Amino acid sequence: MSSTLLSRRDLRFLLHDWLDVTRLTERPRYAEHSRETFDAVLELAERVATEHFAPHNRAADLDEPTFDGRRVRMIPEVKAALDVFAETGLLASTLDESVGGMQLPHVVAAACFAWCQAANVATSAYPMLTLGNTNLLLAHGSPAQIDTWARPMIEGRFHGTMCLSEPHAGSSLADITTRAEPQADGTHRLYGTKMWISGGEHELGENIVHLVLARLPDGPPGVKGISLFIVPKVLLGPGGTPGDRNDVVLVGLNHKMGFRGTTNTLLGFGEGAYRPDGRAGAVGYLVGEPHQGLAQMFHMMNEARIGVGAAATALGYTGYLKSLEYARQRPQGRPLAAKDPATPQVPIVAHPDVKRMLLAQKSYVEGALALVLYCGRLLDEAKSAPEAADRARADLLLDVLTPIVKSWPAQWCLAANDLAIQVHGGAGYTRDHDVEQHWRDNRLNPIHEGTHGIQALDLLGRKVTMRDGAGLAALVDAIGVTVERAGKAGGECAEPAERLAASVRRLTDVTRRLWSAGDPQLALANATVYLEAAGHVVVAWMWLEQLLVVETAAAAPDAELYAGKRNAARWFFRHELPRTGPQFDLLASLDRTTLEMRDAWF
């Protein structure tokens, strides 16, 4: 039976027909793998997601974690699923064999994890955070820190978090006040409060490894004075045995609209509730050099941002498949040409407006999944391409795409969830169907790991302008290669290639226009409009790439899948890409409406 989590057919198309991931096995890093191992681990991920993550998705939403003042309690199925996930090796799938990993390509691992995100995004958040924490320590930690903290996370015994924000600071990390006081033994004692910490307290493993941003006494003001510390929930004794409870306490749980199975916490550091060595203060261990904390944390944050885009995509995708299944099974009404009320009703999938909603969903979720997997492929290129120039090019392009792969799926796969509810009609607005939960869960993704506004400032304020415009040039060049191939292919590819080329020219011209006035405040006033327009251009590129596969294949291995891809590409170029025209017009006008609006006028 077909799954309503993700589409095996689409994943096969994207990974093999389009991205040709088996070619990666020609490189030393992935030489032990083959198409057979890739397909086997994808099958394993689907089975784990279906049998261990999906069954408690609704239960974890209805019976969310609670805090009785001493312990966080949650349904036991969460821990059981995470234990299975770790035991299968999926948690360490991309890591080096030397630390216990599979050395699986990132693009294949992203497809595997998407199964779990579609099945249960809240439970999936725990391993996503733990893996990000692990990768940061592998990149910036000392050998001793890797052995002490990263290896137990790789094994699934410890879990990880990232502690950035504070109640008074929000996303403005320059204003954090958590302080770290150096100690004679080389450790530090931390004092402060951290807010919105996902996975900040639970009993899913032996320990929680918090990565905490804090200030040293000699740190300069602003983000340049931030350092990074490992602050475990439980301190370790000789040989890694559990020792004293560290002075980290749960102040309270945040009560969320969705994503309820993931604890979201307010944590207090150094309040004296626990007194390691008889003194208040949370014991922490400096990671790397002082005052480099934000740069180090971005290693985890950028990974998390791609993960957020993947989660948004997975939620949009499963909502689409469930609304498609409902539309095929729900009889209602008759075709307009059917005049006899005694004729049988037809499934609602036959009605044009339902087709419209399903097509829009398909174009969003399949376009977003292509973007997520393409970014995974770029990670593999940056890590394993034989030539240094190719590695640098992939790294630069991924840098530009990161705010888009985080934000575009978070906006438009949420829109797909909205349409999934609409396809269900009144039934979609009840808790009897999964689609309302998927919408609630997905509503977090435009917010966390940097809101749309923050990603927009990053894209327009830094990524497309960095190195004298090298970032934008890398994106334009990559799209240009696809446009050129599509132009040579002709036929069905010709018109969308011309439309995409025109959109890229507008993107380039508008970017130049925004910065030509020499006024950063004016240039960035409508950055979110720029992000949305640029995102649509990028996803149109993803659809042209898919259309090229369809139109140039010697024979369609899956005729219905290929026909569906062709029509979804038509939809995106005819219904979605034209949205960017008025947006580019607005940006080019250097509109000052938002800048001139005053508080009192609201």
Side-chain angles (χ1 to χ4, degrees):
M1 292 180 62
S2 296
S3 175
T4 56
L5 298 178
L6 292 177
S7 166
R8 300 182 204 103
R9 298 164 71 195
D10 191 22
L11 283 172
R12 185 168 57 243
F13 170 87
L14 294 172
L15 292 172
H16 297 302
D17 298 359
W18 174 39
L19 294 172
D20 192 14
V21 296
T22 306
R23 288 191 61 189
L24 288 169
T25 63
E26 299 169 7
R27 298 176 180 177
R29 179 170 180 80
Y30 307 119
E32 297 300 314
H33 290 291
S34 63
R35 170 150 186 178
E36 287 71 28
T37 64
F38 293 161
D39 289 345
V41 76
L42 283 162
E43 183 180 340
L44 172 65
E46 180 184 358
R47 188 165 66 251
V48 170
T50 303
E51 297 176 4
H52 299 280
F53 279 65
H56 70 274
N57 185 51
R58 174 61 77 178
D61 179 68
L62 296 176
D63 189 7
E64 62 185 300
T66 59
F67 178 46
D68 62 9
R70 293 180 56 255
R71 297 176 56 196
V72 168
R73 301 180 185 276
M74 64 177 70
I75 61 172
E77 292 90 340
V78 177
K79 176 174 170 47
L82 295 178
D83 288 345
V84 169
F85 188 79
E87 289 163 6
T88 60
L90 289 170
L91 177 61
S93 60
T94 60
L95 301 182
D96 293 350
E97 290 180 359
S98 61
V99 294
M102 293 186 192
Q103 267 181 225
L104 201 67
H106 286 276
V107 60
V108 178
C112 290
F113 196 50
W115 279 107
C116 295
Q117 291 173 309
N120 191 321
V121 74
T123 295
S124 299
Y126 296 105
M128 187 181 88
L129 288 162
T130 299
L131 183 59
N133 186 310
T134 301
N135 281 330
L136 186 149
L137 291 180
L138 291 173
H140 300 288
S142 68
Q145 289 173 340
I146 291 171
D147 286 342
T148 303
W149 307 111
R151 288 184 183 274
M153 287 194 285
I154 293 168
E155 296 165 2
R157 296 190 294 114
F158 291 6
H159 293 267
T161 75
M162 50 193 289
C163 300
L164 291 79
S165 184
E166 299 177 6
H168 64 281
S171 301
S172 180
L173 297 180
D175 297 316
I176 67 170
T177 58
T178 296
R179 69 186 194 278
E181 297 182 357
Q183 305 297 301
D185 62 358
T187 65
H188 293 75
R189 292 283 178 139
L190 276 72
Y191 305 87
T193 305
K194 293 292 181 179
M195 184 64 156
W196 309 117
I197 310 306
S198 294
E201 178 58 31
H202 53 71
E203 295 182 353
L204 298 171
E206 300 171 20
N207 209 345
I208 301 175
V209 182
H210 301 292
L211 288 180
V212 184
L213 293 181
R215 296 185 181 280
L216 291 166
D218 61 346
V223 295
K224 294 181 179 180
I226 297 175
S227 298
L228 180 64
F229 299 87
I230 297 168
V231 183
K233 172 183 175 179
V234 178
L235 299 170
L236 300 182
T241 57
D244 293 336
R245 176 70 187 265
N246 206 357
D247 195 7
V248 183
V249 296
L250 175 63
V251 179
L253 294 175
N254 296 307
H255 303 287
K256 299 170 294 177
M257 181 172 73
F259 247 96
R260 292 176 178 172
T262 307
T263 59
N264 189 270
T265 64
L266 174 65
L267 297 178
F269 293 82
E271 296 184 353
Y274 299 92
R275 304 177 70 83
D277 296 327
R279 294 184 294 125
V283 177
Y285 309 94
L286 179 67
V287 178
E289 297 297 319
H291 317 316
Q292 299 300 312
L294 194 58
Q296 295 164 342
M297 187 65 89
F298 264 108
H299 190 286
M300 185 175 181
M301 289 168 64
N302 284 335
E303 186 175 333
R305 286 172 176 175
I306 296 172
V308 167
T313 299
L315 285 166
Y317 211 123
T318 188
Y320 159 62
L321 292 177
K322 288 169 183 174
S323 67
L324 175 60
E325 181 180 67
Y326 182 85
R328 286 169 168 166
Q329 296 175 352
R330 166 67 173 173
Q332 183 173 314
R334 296 162 183 81
L336 290 175
K339 304 299 184 183
D340 183 359
T343 57
Q345 291 185 322
V346 296
I348 62 172
V349 73
H351 298 311
D353 193 56
V354 174
K355 290 183 182 181
R356 173 191 65 82
M357 292 186 284
L358 292 169
L359 250 179
Q361 288 183 74
K362 182 179 176 70
S363 78
Y364 299 155
V365 304
E366 293 185 12
L369 184 58
L371 178 58
V372 167
L373 295 181
Y374 181 79
C375 286
R377 189 68 161 79
L378 288 177
L379 278 168
D380 293 320
E381 289 298 311
K383 179 170 285 189
S384 69
E387 300 297 328
D390 292 334
R391 295 195 298 272
R393 188 179 303 111
D395 201 45
L396 178 62
L397 185 54
L398 182 61
D399 217 15
V400 176
L401 289 176
T402 294
I404 295 174
V405 74
K406 188 276 179 189
S407 283
W408 196 93
Q411 179 177 359
W412 293 98
C413 292
L414 177 65
N417 289 133
D418 186 83
L419 288 169
I421 292 173
Q422 193 72 13
V423 168
H424 280 74
Y429 198 62
T430 70
R431 289 191 293 273
D432 299 323
H433 294 269
D434 290 346
V435 289
E436 66 86 26
Q437 182 188 340
H438 296 325
W439 188 94
R440 285 188 290 106
D441 286 344
N442 217 352
R443 187 58 186 83
L444 177 62
N445 289 318
I447 298 171
H448 73 158
E449 303 306 335
T451 62
H452 278 336
I454 289 171
Q455 303 303 323
L457 293 174
D458 182 41
L459 178 65
L460 180 56
R462 297 210 315 254
K463 297 301 175 61
V464 299
T465 60
M466 62 185 175
R467 290 163 43 185
D468 295 323
L472 180 60
L475 177 61
V476 170
D477 289 348
I479 297 175
V481 170
T482 305
V483 167
E484 184 177 358
R485 287 171 47 227
K488 290 179 180 178
E492 182 82 22
C493 296
E495 181 185 347
E498 292 175 2
R499 292 190 180 198
L500 182 56
S503 296
V504 171
R505 287 193 295 271
R506 288 228 64 191
L507 176 66
T508 303
D509 292 344
V510 164
T511 306
R512 190 179 299 114
R513 168 73 172 153
L514 286 167
W515 288 109
S516 65
D519 182 352
Q521 189 176 24
L522 177 59
L524 298 172
N526 296 302
T528 51
V529 178
Y530 181 92
L531 173 66
E532 185 175 326
H536 259 58
V537 171
V538 165
V539 175
W541 171 35
M542 295 294 99
W543 271 113
L544 185 56
E545 281 278 336
Q546 294 179 76
L547 184 62
L548 266 167
V549 175
V550 169
E551 295 303 316
T552 58
D558 187 332
E560 290 184 344
L561 177 85
Y562 274 47
K565 289 287 184 184
R566 182 182 295 112
N567 217 38
R570 289 172 181 163
W571 170 277
F572 200 88
F573 276 95
R574 295 174 184 178
H575 290 252
E576 293 297 330
L577 189 59
R579 293 175 184 267
T580 63
Q583 291 173 321
F584 284 136
D585 290 342
L586 173 68
L587 291 163
S589 73
L590 301 180
D591 179 67
R592 301 183 61 89
T593 304
T594 54
L595 283 180
E596 293 172 353
M597 187 66 181
R598 298 179 183 176
D599 184 5
W601 297 354
F602 288 106

